[in-house]
Amino acid sequence: GAYSLAGMRDDMATLNMRMLDWLRLYPDVIAIMVDPLAAWHQLIENSNDALQVLWSALRSTAVRSQRHVGFDHHVTKASMVDLEDHVGNLAALRGAGVLGAGMRWAFTMAKLRPATAERHGITHDNAWRYRRLDTLKASYGADDACQRLLRVESVSIANGETAGVLVEVNLARVHAEAQERAVKAAKEFKKEFGDALAVMLMESHPMS
């Protein structure tokens, strides 16, 4: 299509230079996000040779324009069986292996397993609002191996509708709030148990 970055012509990967040149026309743009990558090309997704053509063009755009070029990409169906199976796994990327090899910075995002939510003190009813973000690859710096927690928040946009936005969560605060809830629940249980025991002791007949 006219807006595709690259496509196949007679079994050969070709770039849409009009589109790539258009991206370079705006020097004030500091970042280009391709969302998702698969929607912006018509190449054979499992072909390393074909994807390398697009990869080289995107890297050239980043270097020559001195801007960030990023994209989001899907994982294989096999790695979607478990909510967090693709975390930290380059092999889970769908398509040609050159995708993983060519990235300089990469992260995985995943919904939370029940056990992960519980570890962070997030209730089962609220777990759907959270995502974990993990470093997958860091070529230009040390991998901090730090898991980040994001929460989906609804915000109003210009046309009056609402959209979901991911906001980073302070893990220390989440854990502290979970601890406070646990202490409060224990106190409430202790009080309710004590009140029930007092009522039972005051009765003149057996109670359960």
Side-chain angles (χ1 to χ4, degrees), residues 2-208:
Y3 297 102
S4 180
L5 295 171
M8 301 300 298
R9 181 179 299 169
D10 297 329
D11 296 329
M12 182 177 294
T14 58
L15 297 172
N16 182 355
M17 294 308 302
R18 291 183 63 185
M19 186 66 175
L20 291 166
D21 289 341
W22 178 78
L23 291 175
R24 299 183 181 118
L25 287 177
Y26 301 93
D28 293 337
V29 174
I30 61 173
I32 298 172
M33 297 301 298
V34 185
D35 176 25
L37 180 66
W40 288 90
H41 72 79
Q42 297 173 333
L43 300 171
I44 300 173
E45 193 174 51
N46 291 319
S47 169
N48 279 313
D49 291 338
L51 264 295
Q52 183 61 57
V53 172
L54 176 58
W55 226 227
S56 298
L58 292 177
R59 180 176 294 179
S60 173
T61 299
V63 173
R64 290 169 58 186
S65 306
Q66 295 186 337
R67 64 184 68 172
H68 166 81
V69 176
F71 68 93
D72 57 20
H73 191 55
H74 299 131
V75 296
T76 63
K77 284 186 169 63
S79 61
M80 293 172 63
V81 175
D82 183 286
L83 291 175
E84 299 181 23
D85 228 20
H86 62 285
V87 171
N89 182 11
L90 267 175
L93 285 172
R94 196 178 75 184
V98 70
L99 291 174
M103 292 184 297
R104 300 277 65 92
W105 289 94
F107 303 86
T108 52
M109 184 180 294
K111 295 180 179 179
L112 305 186
R113 291 172 178 158
T116 304
E118 183 179 354
R119 187 168 69 248
H120 289 305
I122 298 170
T123 62
H124 175 74
D125 292 341
N126 285 322
W128 65 272
R129 296 183 60 194
Y130 291 84
R131 305 289 185 273
R132 61 178 293 180
L133 185 71
D134 298 80
T135 304
L136 179 64
K137 186 176 181 181
S139 298
Y140 296 143
D143 178 1
D144 58 13
C146 178
Q147 179 189 140
R148 293 169 175 81
L149 199 63
L150 310 175
R151 182 173 59 236
V152 181
E153 299 283 0
S154 293
V155 298
S156 297
I157 56 179
N159 63 2
E161 297 181 356
T162 58
V165 174
L166 291 170
V167 179
E168 186 167 2
V169 173
N170 185 316
L171 276 176
R173 184 179 301 169
V174 169
H175 294 165
E177 290 173 351
Q179 184 63 29
E180 289 175 4
R181 288 196 301 270
V183 171
K184 182 180 178 181
K187 287 182 179 178
E188 290 176 351
F189 173 79
K190 186 175 181 180
K191 183 180 183 305
E192 290 174 1
F193 181 79
D195 292 345
L197 186 61
V199 170
M200 185 180 70
L201 292 175
M202 294 180 67
E203 294 292 335
S204 58
H205 54 82
M207 294 182 66
S208 62

